[in-house]
């Protein structure tokens, strides 16, 4: 039976793993263990060493599931006799409105080591020349890394928490976990007089080993009090 309670409307809150694939134990990052009370955002906000809220976003949070198929044609049929899957891509898209260097680093697909501050990296070779002479405790600079031939792209994990179909008398939410994501498309942002600067980013998901039927991640519907 059709039900208006199954219609989903609303935005998602997006989290990125604090560590990346260049660091030991940084990939993939598992979700917290959720209890029966409280939103998933409460648990994620409480794990500041594992997850970071990217802040305000715009243009929504988009997921695209993009299979491609090959075809077998035979003389006796006008249409294909069989089709078979040849490729699959899962993409995530959003636009980050908060212009922190942490968000810029994620959009550019750079590792944590390219950012100089008290959290990610305090021994960079460009420390003394960064932030226009600011003290070493106040520096916050992002190096625009050129990379190297054959360098592996930087991977992170991503969680999005958004609305779910309603359940009478309870709170509901839908949690999306992507185990391995990387930013690999063109990223551009503009500084304009009468518009806010946004950082549109497209993440390519990759499958992770050891998760049967959940290699890309999970979509979890939670009911909580």
């Amino acid at each position: 039976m059709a039900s208006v309670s199954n219609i989903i409307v609303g935005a998602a809150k997006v989290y990125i793993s604090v560590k990346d694939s260049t660091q030991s134990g940084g990939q993939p990052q598992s979700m917290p263990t959720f209890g029966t009370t409280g939103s998933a955002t409460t648990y994620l906000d409480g794990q500041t060493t594992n997850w970071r809220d990217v802040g305000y976003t715009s243009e929504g949070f988009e997921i695209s599931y993009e299979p491609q198929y090959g075809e077998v044609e035979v003389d006796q049929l006008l249409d294909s006799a069989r089709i078979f899957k040849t490729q699959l891509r899962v993409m995530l898209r959003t636009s980050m409105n908060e212009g922190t260097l942490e968000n810029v680093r994620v959009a550019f697909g750079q590792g944590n080591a390219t950012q100089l501050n008290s959290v990610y990296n305090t021994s960079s070779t460009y420390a003394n020349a960064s932030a226009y002479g600011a003290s070493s405790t106040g520096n916050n600079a992002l190096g625009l890394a050129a990379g190297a031939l054959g360098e592996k792209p930087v991977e992170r994990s991503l969680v999005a928490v958004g609305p779910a179909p309603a359940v009478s008398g309870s709170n509901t939410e839908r949690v999306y976990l992507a185990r391995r994501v990387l930013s690999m498309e063109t990223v551009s942002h503009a500084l304009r007089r009468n518009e806010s600067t946004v950082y549109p980013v497209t993440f390519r998901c990759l499958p992770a080993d050891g998760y049967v039927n959940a290699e890309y991640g999970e979509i979890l519907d939670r009911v909580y009090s």
Side-chain angles (χ1 to χ4, degrees):
M1 178 184 294
S3 174
V4 296
S5 63
N6 289 329
I7 298 175
I8 298 175
V9 178
K13 197 170 185 179
V14 180
Y15 293 81
I16 291 289
S17 60
V18 171
K19 291 185 177 181
D20 60 46
S21 57
T22 65
Q23 299 171 286
S24 176
Q27 245 286 315
Q29 181 64 61
S30 59
M31 284 195 297
T33 300
F34 301 131
T36 58
T37 61
S39 169
T41 59
T42 302
Y43 296 89
L44 291 161
D45 289 335
Q47 289 198 354
T48 55
T49 58
N50 294 331
W51 295 101
R52 181 181 66 82
D53 182 1
V54 304
Y56 290 115
T57 61
S58 59
E59 307 299 328
F61 177 75
E62 178 184 340
I63 304 170
S64 63
Y65 190 83
E66 306 172 8
Q68 293 187 14
Y69 293 89
E71 301 181 3
V72 177
E73 297 183 356
V74 295
D75 294 340
Q76 289 75 20
L77 298 175
L78 296 179
D79 202 350
S80 299
R82 291 191 61 183
I83 63 172
F84 52 94
K85 187 179 289 187
T86 60
Q87 188 177 2
L88 176 62
R89 295 203 318 169
V90 178
M91 310 293 289
L92 309 174
R93 298 177 179 88
T94 192
S95 292
M96 298 181 289
N97 282 67
E98 298 193 18
T100 63
L101 288 184
E102 287 77 18
N103 283 348
V104 176
R105 172 168 46 79
V106 169
F108 286 0
Q110 296 190 176
N112 290 347
T114 63
Q115 183 174 355
L116 165 71
N117 65 18
S118 59
V119 176
Y120 296 102
N121 183 21
T122 58
S123 60
S124 173
T125 56
Y126 57 87
N128 294 331
S130 298
Y132 298 96
S135 65
S136 60
T137 57
N139 282 346
N140 192 11
L142 179 66
L144 297 179
L149 291 175
E151 185 176 75
K152 295 180 180 179
V154 176
E155 300 176 11
R156 295 179 167 87
S157 298
L158 181 147
V159 168
V161 183
V167 174
S168 179
S170 298
N171 300 308
T172 61
E173 64 186 3
R174 180 164 288 176
V175 184
Y176 303 82
L177 167 66
R179 304 188 197 280
R180 299 173 61 200
V181 301
L182 54 121
S183 175
M184 58 177 297
E185 295 192 2
T186 300
V187 176
S188 64
H189 65 276
L191 307 176
R192 296 190 174 96
R193 179 170 64 97
N194 57 352
E195 296 181 17
S196 65
T197 300
V198 296
Y199 299 83
V201 58
T202 299
F203 294 106
R204 170 81 180 267
C205 295
L206 296 178
D209 296 331
Y211 300 92
V212 178
N213 294 327
E215 292 87 354
Y216 285 109
E218 303 174 34
I219 302 176
L220 168 67
D221 277 358
R222 293 190 66 234
V223 179
Y224 63 95
S225 58

